[in-house]
Amino acid sequence: MNPPRLTSRRLLASASAFALVLVALMAPAAQAQAPATYPNKPIKLIVPFPAGGGGDILARLVMLRAAKELGQPIVVENLGGAGGNLGSATAAKAPADGYTLLYGTNGTHAINHAIYKSPGFNAVRDFEPVSQLTRIAAMVVVRPTLQVNSMAELTKLLKANPGKYTFGSAGNGTTSHLAGEIYKSRAGLAVVHIPYRGGAQAMTDLMGGQVDMMIEVMPNAAPQAKSGRVKPLAVTTATRVAGWPDVPTIAESGLPGFDVSAWDAIFVPAGTPRPIVNRLNDAIHKALADPELRAQLQSRGAEVAPGTPEELAKHIAANMTLWGDAVKRSGASVD
């Protein structure tokens, strides 16, 4: 019997089938090679807070150093508003290709989902965690002309004058807002909350005497306290901050057990390939290992705290419970 003849049509079909098999076999290899080709163009970093505030400063310090490890520039885009919700919601809708990053915080990824009815994004479902950056203390600062020189004196003054004094914050639902609400609740105070569109504007008005006090993250508060433009009274963490050993804690100053700290991290839109997430995580870890950067962060009250994407995911879950409970206790809410 003669072997069957291979017609042109059969040859074409065989070649097509072989090509499909070859593509299928090559796909995993192409995905595995993604870190070698990524990034090949500038990366956008959305910071959901106005320029000049504490979060913006930390984001730029860390991620502009990480850009050197990635070999591509990182362009910061400030999209402030609604306690970080506006910029976060924008980042959630970006392509999942590694060219749009989000600078997130305990505000955007824990507090806001307890304090806002409709934040506009889901912190867990809409993002892939990349790495935590730092843990951040907050500092109680008052306008220079306020006649108090200690945390105990401030609490006594506010308690004796309900509704007379004001505290500024970086916006509704931010760490500075909620820390102020927790302080009010713990001390039994009536202080008027004045929200701003970012910590920089709030700090400017505090220095100018338009508001009386703030409990602000140290990257924003510490430089002004050091310059004498505001008076530092206490820090919010359980222990004193290394760079500010003479400033007591709130817990030492009449409210035992008071412990509030912020954190920040980098996220990418959900669906971003894991090799890209790993590439970004590696660059961040190398950046945070830089002694000069670590010293800059510590001087601003920020302790380096890098980790894996899985560790960050667990941290977010725990913080949603922690801050959610704090919101309930404080009674704070935003429509």
Side-chain angles (χ1 to χ4, degrees), residues 239-329:
T239 58
R240 297 193 183 197
V241 173
W244 292 79
D246 296 330
V247 178
T249 66
I250 293 179
E252 293 176 65
S253 307
L255 293 176
F258 196 101
D259 182 11
V260 174
S261 60
W263 53 266
D264 55 2
I266 295 298
F267 300 87
V268 289
T272 300
R274 182 58 188 245
I276 290 178
V277 172
N278 291 344
R279 178 83 172 91
L280 291 166
N281 180 278
D282 181 65
I284 289 168
H285 281 227
K286 288 178 178 176
L288 291 174
D290 183 343
E292 183 178 348
L293 176 59
R294 294 170 77 99
Q296 289 178 308
L297 294 170
Q298 187 179 59
S299 71
R300 290 166 169 81
E303 178 186 352
V304 170
T308 66
E310 290 76 19
E311 288 169 339
L312 178 53
K314 291 179 181 178
H315 186 63
I316 293 167
N319 268 250
M320 282 185 163
T321 300
L322 172 70
W323 287 100
D325 290 345
V327 168
K328 291 176 183 177
R329 288 197 304 269

Side-chain angles (χ1 to χ4, degrees), residues 199-252:
Q201 184 181 358
M203 186 61 65
T204 296
D205 273 11
L206 178 65
M207 292 186 291
Q210 281 73 46
V211 291
D212 299 305
M213 64 168 288
M214 282 186 73
I215 304 181
E216 176 62 316
V217 290
M218 288 193 68
N220 195 21
Q224 311 308 332
K226 188 174 183 179
S227 69
R229 294 186 178 96
V230 296
K231 288 194 286 188
L233 301 183
V235 293
T236 61
T237 43
T239 58
R240 297 193 183 197
V241 173
W244 292 79
D246 296 330
V247 178
T249 66
I250 293 179
E252 293 176 65

